């Protein structure tokens, strides 16, 4: 690549040092960065009209002047901002719901363009959440009917950003070289780099945008899939112990299991066993809905390793879960000679020392623990298998933390959440996947209700009835920051209120993540052993906690949770032979507002879907559609750079193509050494080398 592409932004025509500094906040340092700062959306101005000529349900634009800005609260932390726009003869009302900050962006006299599908309310035209172009006094309208909308930072207006990008496209785009080999461009009918770049920033119309966007989406997903394939390849070149499941080992393990396995569990165990029998490391993801019985599959694999004299580690995200797994093992392994220990942050120094020494000396077969395990100072004598439960709390890189230079233990990853396929292909694309597609027999369904304020008394009476029958109950309250406690009760307050109110006759426990671990433990054990009847808790119980006698759950503040998270929480009940009941406390439905005609509250709609669906895969897809991938896996959490243009929902087809092609290419040229592939290779390393720990390829 020509070095001029890396011209610092302050030297780019029309930018200067001050603005260059502001642009750095967006990660934009060079001309090249700005060339690839893709619009996050477009405002379509192709159908601009006077207000009087608007039609319903059709994307149109109106240009005019702001005559009034008003904001008001509509209760329960909800709000509405209203802007009146005049085109000289008529008025249009633009509305924003629950975006109070929008008020500050408008003032009287501003000239601007709104674009949206308008609707006629009485005699007034309305647009909700329109796209906006501000027309300052000194700002000319840019040519074109499809205006790019860029991510901005303070002090850089949309107008400026458009001009800067236009400048770099004019001055620098010609220096760019194509990264794809010609054959690939032809095969996938991809627009070549330069015209694609021009069109993505300045599309002539929406038709011209499509091939440009597709090219960059393909490129982004292709480069990601190359990285994942290469990581997978390099993993497979490592040595791992051969741990075949012999008939004898199989029989010995099965004697320990207290139940018949489901067909799905059998299938997954077969897949895992086949992997572990090979001399290269297993790298498998086990996914299944809450309660589908992933633990026993992991346990089986662990026992196979132990039978061959190798150590295994089970890593979990919380101490509570570590203790619970330790209890399960305690029951299952009573009749065996397997030596296991718990290793968590809460351990006393001397105890911890002893566990570490025993691990290093191969005096322990199994260790269960939190991330503390993968921190410094843990050496295994002979580590054969790593199991990571509830993976989404672990970063991608931690997965590799226990491997050595040329060898690696087998790895089994289990997810807390069923993952939409497009997500797992990007997040875990380097793993093989086993899926538990059924629940064990005799599982009782969980019935879910939305409990409005006037039904709350009734709900608590129902909870008391179940408690009197001998069942136990959870009450889940979101963890709130001190800064936002206004309407949201803290878990401690909820505990107080229930102790003195609705549940005064019962024994309650309180659990949250900030308690000292010895206290957490005691609270959990009291609940598991039935000494407390109700556990008032934050979402620390979300992952994996398993108390079969707990059949009722009350969730407060559910709007704050994603559907998958709610489903995880709900998975805590209905685990035994009694049916489960989940009550989600909700606000009263929004009062109908004659002039605003509020569209249905999306938060409520979401909760209604939650109440109506018990399939975790369906809910995960829905979450993904409604709230995007971030809700399933925060980018920070999984440690991968965010996608810049691809949208895993819209671009499924491209993802499949890109993945297939990337795999073929890596199979043919594992080090990407061919002259045709060097540009792809350097892009891949630049973007994912660090995140995926791929430094030296081939
Ligand atoms: P998850 O997949 O959510 O991690 P667990 O492994 O915790 O699920 O299993 C949920 C519950 O189901 C546990 O109490 C476990 O003992 C039980 N279980 C697992 N497999 C079976 C089975 N095949 N038959 C009966 N109960 C099972
Ligand atoms: Mg589990």
């Amino acid at each position: 690549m020509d070095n001029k592409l890396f011209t610092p932004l302050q030297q780019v025509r029309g930018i200067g040092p001050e603005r260059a500094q502001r642009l750095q906040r967006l990660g934009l340092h060079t001309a090249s960065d700005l060339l690839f700062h893709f619009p996050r959306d477009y405002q379509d101005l192709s159908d601009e009209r006077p207000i009087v000529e608007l039609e319903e349900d059709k994307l149109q634009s109106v240009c005019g002047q702001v005559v009034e800005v008003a904001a008001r609260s509509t209760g329960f932390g909800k709000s509405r901002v209203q802007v009146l726009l005049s085109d000289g003869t008529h008025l249009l009302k633009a509305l924003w719901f629950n975006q109070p900050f929008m008020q500050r962006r408008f003032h009287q006299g501003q000239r601007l363009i709104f674009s949206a599908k308008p609707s006629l309310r009485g005699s007034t035209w309305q647009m909700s959440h329109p796209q906006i172009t501000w027309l300052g006094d000194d700002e000319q309208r840019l040519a074109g009917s499809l205006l790019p909308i860029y991510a901005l930072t303070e002090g850089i207006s949309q107008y400026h950003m458009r001009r800067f990008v236009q400048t770099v496209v004019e001055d620098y785009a010609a220096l760019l070289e194509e990264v794809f080999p010609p054959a690939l461009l032809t095969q996938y009918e991809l627009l070549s780099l330069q015209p694609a770049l021009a069109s993505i920033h300045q599309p002539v119309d929406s038709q011209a945008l499509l091939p440009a966007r597709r090219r960059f989406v393909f490129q982004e997903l292709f480069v990601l899939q190359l990285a994942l394939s290469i990581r997978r390849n390099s993993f497979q070149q490592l040595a791992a112990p051969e741990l075949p499941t012999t008939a004898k080992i199989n029989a010995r393990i099965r004697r320990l299991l207290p139940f018949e396995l489901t067909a799905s569990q059998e299938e997954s165990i077969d897949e895992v066993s086949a992997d572990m029998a090979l001399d290269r490391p297993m790298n498998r993801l086990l996914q299944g809905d809450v309660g589908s019985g992933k633990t026993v599959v992991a346990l089986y694999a662990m026992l196979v390793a132990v039978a061959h004299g190798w150590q295994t580690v089970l890593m979990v995200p919380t101490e509570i879960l570590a203790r619970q797994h330790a209890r399960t093992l305690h029951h299952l392994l009573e009749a065996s000679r397997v030596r296991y220990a718990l290793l968590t942050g809460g351990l006393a120094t001397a105890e911890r020392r002893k566990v570490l020494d025993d691990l290093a000396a191969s005096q322990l077969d199994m260790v269960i623990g939190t991330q503390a395990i993968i921190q410094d100072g843990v050496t295994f004598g002979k580590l054969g298998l790593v199991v990571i439960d509830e993976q989404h709390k672990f970063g991608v890189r931690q997965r590799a933390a226990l491997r050595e230079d040329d060898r690696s233990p087998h790895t089994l990853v289990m997810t807390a959440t069923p993952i939409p396929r497009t997500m797992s292909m990007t997040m875990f694309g380097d793993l093989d996947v086993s899926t538990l597609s059924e629940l064990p027999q005799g599982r009782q369904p969980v019935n879910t209700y939305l409990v409005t304020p006037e039904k709350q008394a009734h709900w608590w009476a129902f909870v008391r009835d179940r408690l009197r029958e001998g069942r136990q109950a959870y009450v889940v309250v979101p963890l709130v920051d001190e800064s936002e406690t206004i309407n949201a009760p803290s878990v401690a307050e909820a505990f107080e209120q229930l102790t003195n109110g609705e549940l005064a006759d019962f024994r309650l426990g309180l659990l949250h993540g900030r308690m000292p671990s010895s206290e957490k433990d005691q609270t959990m054990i009291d609940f598991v052993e039935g000494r407390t009847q109700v556990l008032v808790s934050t979402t620390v119980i979300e992952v994996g906690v398993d108390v079969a006698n707990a059949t009722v759950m009350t969730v407060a503040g559910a709007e704050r949770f994603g559907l998958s998270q709610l489903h995880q929480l709900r998975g805590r009940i209905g685990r035994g032979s009694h049916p489960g009941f989940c009550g989600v406390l909700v606000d009263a439905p929004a009062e109908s507002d004659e002039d605003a005609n509020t569209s249905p509250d999306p938060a409520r709609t979401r909760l209604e879907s939650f109440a109506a669906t018990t399939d975790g895969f369906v809910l995960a897809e829905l979450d993904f559609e409604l709230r995007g991938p971030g809700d399933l896996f925060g980018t920070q959490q999984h440690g991968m750079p965010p996608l810049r243009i691809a949208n895993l929902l819209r671009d499924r087809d491209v993802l499949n193509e890109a993945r297939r092609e990337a795999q073929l290419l890596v199979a043919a040229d594992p080090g990407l050494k061919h002259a045709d592939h060097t540009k792809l290779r350097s892009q891949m390393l630049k973007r994912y080398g660090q995140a995926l720990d791929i430094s030296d390829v081939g």
Side-chain angles (χ1 to χ4, degrees):
M1 262 196 205
D2 197 303
N3 282 338
K4 265 175 89 178
L5 278 169
F6 300 106
T7 304
L9 285 177
Q10 66 182 68
Q11 290 164 29
V12 168
R13 191 158 59 91
I15 294 188
E18 197 201 324
R19 285 162 173 170
Q21 198 141 35
R22 292 177 187 273
L23 289 167
Q24 285 193 9
R25 290 197 298 248
L26 291 167
L28 304 173
H29 304 275
T30 66
S32 163
D33 292 339
L34 204 50
L35 284 174
F36 292 96
H37 185 54
F38 296 127
R40 62 170 170 73
D41 204 350
Y42 299 84
Q43 184 172 3
D44 188 343
L45 302 179
S46 55
D47 189 357
E48 188 184 320
R49 315 179 174 198
I51 294 168
V52 69
E53 285 173 26
L54 288 172
E55 290 171 46
E56 283 206 307
D57 291 331
K58 203 170 155 187
L59 180 64
Q60 293 148 91
S61 301
V62 169
C63 181
Q65 195 154 29
V66 173
V67 293
E68 188 189 288
V69 185
R72 69 176 186 139
S73 161
T74 49
F76 297 110
K78 300 190 171 71
S79 69
R80 200 178 79 200
V81 173
Q82 176 181 311
V83 172
L84 282 184
L85 189 79
S86 162
D87 67 356
T89 47
H90 292 82
L91 289 177
L92 172 107
K93 188 192 283 183
L95 293 168
W96 287 264
F97 299 102
N98 306 322
Q99 298 188 351
F101 54 87
M102 289 305 291
Q103 186 185 6
R104 295 195 301 276
R105 302 180 61 183
F106 298 100
H107 56 80
Q108 226 181 333
Q110 254 172 346
R111 284 177 39 74
L112 43 76
I113 309 171
F114 284 144
S115 306
K117 289 180 182 169
S119 57
L120 190 58
R121 295 281 174 246
S123 57
T124 311
W125 282 100
Q126 278 189 15
M127 287 182 172
S128 38
H129 297 232
Q131 290 182 313
I132 316 151
T133 286
W134 277 271
L135 301 167
D137 294 337
D138 56 346
E139 294 180 8
Q140 303 296 310
R141 275 183 68 170
L142 292 164
S145 61
L146 206 55
L147 289 186
I149 298 176
Y150 295 99
L152 299 176
T153 182
E154 208 186 319
I156 304 285
S157 68
Q158 198 59 255
Y159 173 77
H160 282 126
M161 186 64 98
R162 285 172 184 163
R163 260 194 18 209
F164 299 158
V165 174
Q166 215 166 3
T167 305
V168 290
V169 170
E170 282 164 18
D171 294 3
Y172 299 90
L175 303 169
L176 286 168
E177 290 172 43
E178 181 56 69
V179 297
F180 286 125
L184 208 133
L185 286 178
T186 318
Q187 186 186 347
Y188 289 95
E189 296 175 4
L190 297 174
L191 194 57
S192 60
L193 181 57
Q194 299 211 10
L197 201 75
S199 275
I200 199 100
H201 290 298
Q202 293 146 29
V204 185
D205 52 31
S206 52
Q207 281 310 305
L209 185 60
L210 296 177
R213 188 175 176 279
R214 179 165 166 272
R215 185 233 140 84
F216 288 115
V217 168
F218 187 95
Q219 182 172 346
E220 176 162 59
L221 295 173
F222 186 73
V223 168
L224 169 61
Q225 292 298 326
L226 280 180
L228 289 167
S229 284
I230 283 169
R231 179 178 153 101
R232 181 187 164 88
N233 252 11
S234 70
F235 231 95
Q236 291 191 333
Q237 272 150 32
L238 301 172
E242 288 173 49
L243 308 172
T245 308
T246 61
K248 199 169 139 202
I249 291 175
N250 179 49
R252 254 171 37 208
I253 297 174
R254 284 180 192 261
R255 271 205 297 278
L256 300 174
L257 302 182
F259 37 66
E260 289 277 303
L261 298 177
T262 65
S264 260
Q265 284 170 325
E266 294 287 5
E267 223 169 278
S268 298
I269 284 175
D270 286 347
E271 287 163 351
V272 168
S273 298
D275 287 354
M276 288 174 61
L278 303 178
D279 62 357
R280 49 188 167 77
M282 163 166 79
N283 244 318
R284 187 166 286 277
L285 172 73
L286 174 63
Q287 64 166 348
D289 207 345
V290 196
S292 57
K294 294 181 282 288
T295 318
V296 70
V297 176
L299 188 71
Y300 187 102
M302 292 168 80
L303 290 170
V304 170
V306 172
H308 285 279
W310 287 78
Q311 292 172 300
T312 89
V313 43
L314 172 58
M315 285 198 278
V316 295
T318 67
E319 198 154 331
I320 291 172
L321 197 53
R323 307 257 162 191
Q324 174 181 294
H325 279 319
R327 277 194 299 272
T328 309
L329 289 186
H330 178 74
H331 293 307
L332 286 176
L333 300 181
E334 254 169 348
S336 81
R337 279 172 311 206
V338 177
R339 300 161 298 176
Y340 63 90
L342 191 63
L343 184 59
T344 62
L347 230 52
T349 320
E351 282 176 292
R352 180 177 161 81
R353 189 73 259 153
K354 168 111 176 65
V355 174
L356 293 180
D357 288 347
D358 287 351
L359 279 175
S362 299
Q363 297 294 311
L364 277 173
D365 303 308
M366 275 186 194
V367 59
I368 307 130
T370 52
Q371 267 134 326
I373 290 185
I374 43 179
Q375 283 158 11
D376 295 342
V378 185
T379 342
F380 291 87
K382 213 181 161 193
L383 182 60
L385 169 68
V386 177
V387 180
I388 305 176
D389 197 5
E390 317 290 7
Q391 154 81 33
H392 80 268
K393 304 274 171 170
F394 291 92
V396 172
R397 263 191 286 175
Q398 269 114 330
R399 265 195 263 149
L402 293 168
R403 91 177 182 214
E404 290 162 36
D405 292 345
D406 55 348
R407 39 186 317 110
S408 167
H410 297 285
T411 307
L412 181 65
V413 171
M414 305 195 281
T415 62
T417 313
I419 309 168
R421 189 162 152 66
T422 49
M423 283 287 296
S424 65
M425 281 193 325
T426 43
M427 295 265 322
F428 303 114
D430 54 337
L431 303 182
D432 297 309
V433 180
S434 294
T435 304
L436 296 181
S437 53
E438 61 189 322
L439 298 180
Q441 291 270 304
R443 213 38 90 64
Q444 294 290 325
V446 175
N447 305 288
T448 304
Y449 312 94
L450 300 190
V451 182
T452 50
E454 76 275 8
K455 296 211 186 107
Q456 271 200 28
H458 184 77
W459 169 253
W460 290 116
F462 175 83
V463 174
R464 288 191 294 268
D465 285 346
R466 299 288 83 69
L467 293 171
R468 289 200 187 96
E469 284 174 7
R471 305 285 79 74
Q472 287 167 285
Y474 296 101
V475 177
V476 184
V477 181
L479 186 66
V480 287
D481 283 342
E482 313 276 317
S483 59
E484 50 163 351
T485 46
I486 305 115
N487 284 324
S490 77
V491 63
E493 279 170 41
F495 177 79
E496 281 302 314
Q497 280 174 18
L498 291 169
T499 307
N500 299 315
E502 297 287 0
L503 302 179
D505 296 341
F506 303 91
R507 300 182 302 277
L508 274 61
L510 170 64
L511 184 73
H512 57 79
R514 296 192 190 138
M515 283 163 42
S517 47
S518 57
E519 238 176 87
K520 269 192 266 188
D521 255 15
Q522 196 51 51
T523 307
M524 205 56 224
I525 290 169
D526 286 344
F527 187 67
V528 169
E529 297 181 350
R531 280 188 295 280
T532 48
Q533 295 163 286
V534 181
L535 189 61
V536 182
S537 160
T538 58
T539 53
V540 287
I541 57 151
E542 164 193 351
V543 279
V545 169
D546 186 23
V547 178
N549 190 45
T551 60
V552 192
M553 174 175 282
T554 308
V555 185
E559 300 82 11
R560 287 162 183 266
F561 301 126
L563 293 177
S564 289
Q565 196 183 6
L566 283 169
H567 185 63
Q568 279 298 317
L569 285 167
R570 177 170 64 181
R572 302 308 115 220
I573 55 174
R575 297 174 84 81
S577 51
H578 300 283
F581 302 95
C582 179
V584 179
L585 306 186
V586 294
D587 295 338
E591 278 176 44
S592 67
D593 191 339
E594 76 298 339
D595 68 336
N597 197 309
T598 8
S599 43
D601 179 357
R604 173 60 63 90
T605 314
R606 244 164 34 86
L607 293 177
E608 278 162 6
S609 319
F610 171 65
T613 317
T614 54
D615 184 328
F617 283 92
V618 173
L619 289 171
E621 287 281 355
L622 208 58
D623 235 357
F624 191 40
E625 273 166 40
L626 295 173
R627 299 173 40 136
D631 211 55
L632 284 174
F633 304 93
T635 30
Q636 266 75 32
Q637 267 180 354
H638 70 69
M640 293 278 276
L643 295 172
R644 289 174 181 164
I645 186 164
N647 170 324
L648 294 181
L649 270 172
R650 267 162 75 181
D651 301 319
R652 281 171 218 239
D653 295 347
V654 184
L655 174 62
N656 284 323
E657 281 178 349
R659 179 174 167 80
R660 195 169 358 102
E661 190 57 35
Q663 285 171 347
L664 288 175
L665 191 135
V666 172
D669 181 12
L672 304 186
K673 293 285 163 64
H674 192 282
D676 270 359
H677 302 152
T678 49
K679 288 202 202 69
L680 284 169
R681 177 174 187 273
S682 58
Q683 262 208 9
M684 188 264 312
L685 286 175
K686 181 161 167 246
R687 189 137 176 80
Y688 296 105
Q690 207 191 0
L692 288 177
D693 202 16
I694 314 168
S695 45
D696 193 17
V697 201

